[in-house]
Amino acid sequence: MSANDIATVVNQTITQYLSESGEQQKKRPCSGKSFTFRSPAITVTGAYCVSQLGDTLLELGATHVLLVADKLVHQLGLVSGCEQSITLAGIGLTLFTEVEGEPDTVIINQGIKVLKQSKADFVVGIGGGSALDAAKGMAVMIDHQGPLADLKIGGIASRKVGLGCIPTTAGTGSETTDITVIQDLEYGIKVPVKGPALVPDFALLDPVLMLGVPDHVTAATGIDTLTHAIEAYVSRETNPLSKAYAYHAIETVIKSLPVAVGCGDDLDMRYEMSIAAYKAGIAFSNAGLGLTHAIAHQIGAQYHIPHGVANAILLPYVMAFNALTCEKGYAELAVAMGIKVESMTQRESCNAVIQMVRSLVQDLGLPNSLTVYNINTGDLPQLAERAMLDICLIGNPRQVTATQIVVLLNRVLANDFPEGYC
Ligand SMILES: NC(=O)c1ccc[n+]([C@@H]2O[C@H](COP(=O)([O-])OP(=O)(O)OC[C@H]3O[C@@H](n4cnc5c(N)ncnc54)[C@H](O)[C@@H]3O)[C@@H](O)[C@H]2O)c1
Ligand SMILES: [Fe+2]
């Protein structure tokens, strides 16, 4: 076949492909699954890199910034470096420091009001996942009003203001993800809103800002990172790039999180964890999550359980449930976790990985059951129904019913960890 003949065949095939429906396209035999991969355009890392904030904003064309900060983080003086760097760069600044706890529709609307008054062309969030999600919510919802449920379904593709994130916990990875999680006060649920416009234009990871995070927050947010990486690795929507990021995030969490919890002033471990959170964020933003997050969003909203703690309690149970369909995927993670796999069967490696996650949660002093949270068993069917509607469930490797979620939650309540896969 001549080069021209090959070009003709290729063109015909592409024309045919473009004329097919999405379903038909998916059924085509293909040696490489297609996927789109997104991350912030600029990532700045390292101790004291907050001093580069002004230059980064100038590079992105900002003229006036709305700085959205966690209230406590502001009180601790952790925002002053950002303020100085922005002012030194000759960029206008408006401060919004009212974010306390996980964001809801009220705080988003308050921020949008300030954003409109300030005429800022850039929103920068600084704080844990709560402040970052608040900033992200304001930046996109100023142009996309409407019930959260509609935004969740439609996905948000456009944004008129710039967006940057500076995490002070390691963490959620919100600084890199295409998600913001907002509490819908009307329905008492947490709604993950997703879309390309939610990926920040820049992420700035300065571990110095994380040195004073209390040990229980370091532990909970670190397990959130681990959950992102494990769920992304075995997600139905995973891809080779997400798997690579997730694998290395897991390796780092196992090595660095215990030291970061036990020795909060260890700058190297804070740095390692800031990168791990970012990697796990990139992994799941492009690959999806799973059942742990689908349930954690519901019990977190209903019983005010911090997000990382909810994940810590649920993750081992969900892994035992999912292992039926992703034993191989979990087993692959054994090496990343430093488990000696020689002479182990796949099932033994998988079990060792689940056991390692349980031990880590226990070592870090996090709860491993829901007993302390006064959960009413009568609430479980409704919580399960809500989890079934959470967009994170799409990535879960095993199919699941509301009845199975109730059984799983009853096990967690009774501290009854299963022996096999169920
Ligand atoms: N957008 C995403 O991709 C994504 C992913 C996972 C979770 N989330 C959401 O993020 C939120 C949780 O974020 P989080 O776990 O980072 O907790 P958080 O932001 O609520 O912070 C936890 C606590 O730590 C304090 N804190 C933060 N930084 C500190 C510092 N440097 N020194 C001392 N104290 C500090 C805060 O004031 C707060 O009291 C939840 O709403 C969760 O649903 C979002
Ligand atoms: Fe999370």
Side-chain angles (χ1 to χ4, degrees), residues 182-207:
I182 311 289
Q183 297 210 34
D184 191 330
L185 294 175
E186 199 179 331
Y187 298 101
I189 51 172
K190 279 173 83 167
V191 183
V193 178
K194 192 172 164 70
L198 284 152
V199 178
D201 299 311
F202 77 83
L204 193 149
L205 319 175
D206 187 338

Side-chain angles (χ1 to χ4, degrees), residues 171-173 181 223-225 227-228 231 284 289 293 296-297 307-308 311:
T172 65
V181 186
I223 291 293
D224 190 24
T225 290
T227 312
H228 295 157
E231 294 213 295
F284 91 77
L289 288 165
H293 271 79
H297 288 149
H307 178 66
N311 281 336

Side-chain angles (χ1 to χ4, degrees), residues 67-80 83 95-99 126-127 168:
L67 192 55
V68 178
D70 177 282
K71 194 171 209 159
L72 177 65
V73 166
H74 180 244
Q75 283 164 358
L76 290 170
L78 296 174
V79 181
S80 65
E83 292 178 66
L95 262 182
F96 181 86
T97 61
E98 297 307 312
V99 184
I126 173 164
T168 60

Side-chain angles (χ1 to χ4, degrees), residues 144 154-159 194-198:
H144 297 272
I156 296 182
S158 67
R159 161 165 56 77
K194 192 172 164 70
L198 284 152

Side-chain angles (χ1 to χ4, degrees), residues 329-347:
Y330 289 152
E332 283 166 8
L333 299 178
V335 176
M337 291 188 172
I339 298 166
K340 293 229 172 315
V341 291
E342 293 88 35
S343 77
M344 273 194 192
T345 63
Q346 181 170 289
R347 184 169 184 131

